Amino acid sequence: MSAAFTAFILLLMTGALLPVNRRFRQTPDGVPVFVVSNGTHTDVVLPLQEPRTGISWLPHLPDSTLRARFGSYPYAAFGWGSEGFYLASYGHQLPGPGVVLRAVVPEPTLMHVRFLRQAPVAGSHVVPLRISVAQYQALAAQVAASFQADSLQHYQLRNAAGYTPTDFFFRATGRYHALRTCNDWTVRTLRRAGLRVPLKSPLAAPVLVQARRAR
């Protein structure tokens, strides 16, 4: 086992246990946000329109049909990940070994956006949080920076449809690779907004554990 590989494994093991922003506390009556997981991947759920900050994700949708269709939805889930892995998962398919191996080296990325009719229910895979207006502004800015946008600040659809009628893929910034996974994106996004997260975690569970301890 090489020294570089050993150092990498130690980074993953210790980073998942070490909290960052450990002084983070929830804000009573703050903006509601959620950290959610399907067991392997994490998303950040945000209000589709947030009145105190004036932040709305609707104007960034690329056409009026989508804006009208989802205008009454209260929340949207945002996740970042490998373009190849996302697209190979259509039809609930499990991506093959080739797709997984290609994700080890830098490759293009997508933002996965799911529109939600109601707030996620707290549970083993859902951590609700209340954060300050300033923290929400910082969090929304981090999420927005992950999208590729045109001159009108419209996000660029990758495909006409996602896995279901209420989710879509948009072209994203950054490259996915072994040291920068979908869960690392969640960690980095929450950390830069001042929320409690693990130092480093390619896995979903430590992200939820640290978020839950902030409660």
Side-chain angles (χ1 to χ4, degrees):
M1 183 179 295
S2 70
F5 182 76
T6 301
F8 174 66
I9 296 299
L10 288 174
L11 172 65
L12 298 184
M13 292 175 61
T14 59
L17 298 175
L18 295 175
V20 178
N21 297 328
R22 65 177 64 206
R23 293 186 179 181
F24 165 75
R25 295 293 182 271
Q26 295 200 64
T27 300
D29 299 319
V31 180
V33 302
F34 304 81
V35 183
V36 304
S37 169
N38 64 5
T40 58
H41 172 88
T42 50
D43 287 341
V44 178
V45 175
L46 307 178
L48 194 58
Q49 302 181 80
E50 206 296 302
R52 281 171 284 187
T53 59
I55 294 173
S56 173
W57 300 98
L58 288 173
H60 299 291
L61 298 180
D63 63 66
S64 59
T65 302
L66 289 177
R67 293 191 287 273
R69 182 178 170 189
F70 297 110
S72 63
Y73 282 54
Y75 292 96
F78 299 87
W80 177 95
S82 157
E83 179 179 58
F85 196 93
Y86 273 141
L87 298 184
S89 301
Y90 269 84
H92 303 288
Q93 297 293 317
L94 184 65
V99 174
V100 175
L101 288 174
R102 282 194 295 274
V104 173
V105 298
E107 65 171 354
T109 54
L110 297 175
M111 286 294 291
H112 186 214
V113 180
R114 293 182 294 119
F115 296 95
L116 307 178
R117 288 188 178 275
Q118 59 187 13
V121 178
S124 60
H125 288 147
V126 176
V127 181
L129 297 169
R130 291 274 182 170
I131 64 177
S132 71
V133 165
Q135 288 167 335
Y136 182 73
Q137 289 171 321
L139 179 57
Q142 289 298 317
V143 173
S146 297
F147 285 90
Q148 290 188 28
D150 62 20
S151 59
L152 298 176
Q153 291 305 301
H154 292 156
Y155 299 152
Q156 302 176 36
L157 272 174
R158 170 59 172 81
N159 285 15
Y163 300 141
T164 73
T166 57
D167 74 289
F168 299 87
F169 290 106
F170 297 85
R171 297 190 183 279
T173 60
R175 294 277 176 169
Y176 184 102
H177 52 77
L179 293 177
R180 192 180 185 191
T181 68
C182 55
N183 296 311
D184 286 319
W185 175 86
T186 303
V187 166
R188 185 175 65 256
T189 298
L190 297 176
R191 182 185 70 236
R192 291 178 177 176
L195 280 64
R196 179 171 175 140
V197 291
L199 175 65
K200 176 76 175 174
S201 181
L203 304 177
V207 183
L208 296 179
V209 167
Q210 293 300 338
R212 189 169 284 112
R213 287 179 178 172
R215 302 183 62 194

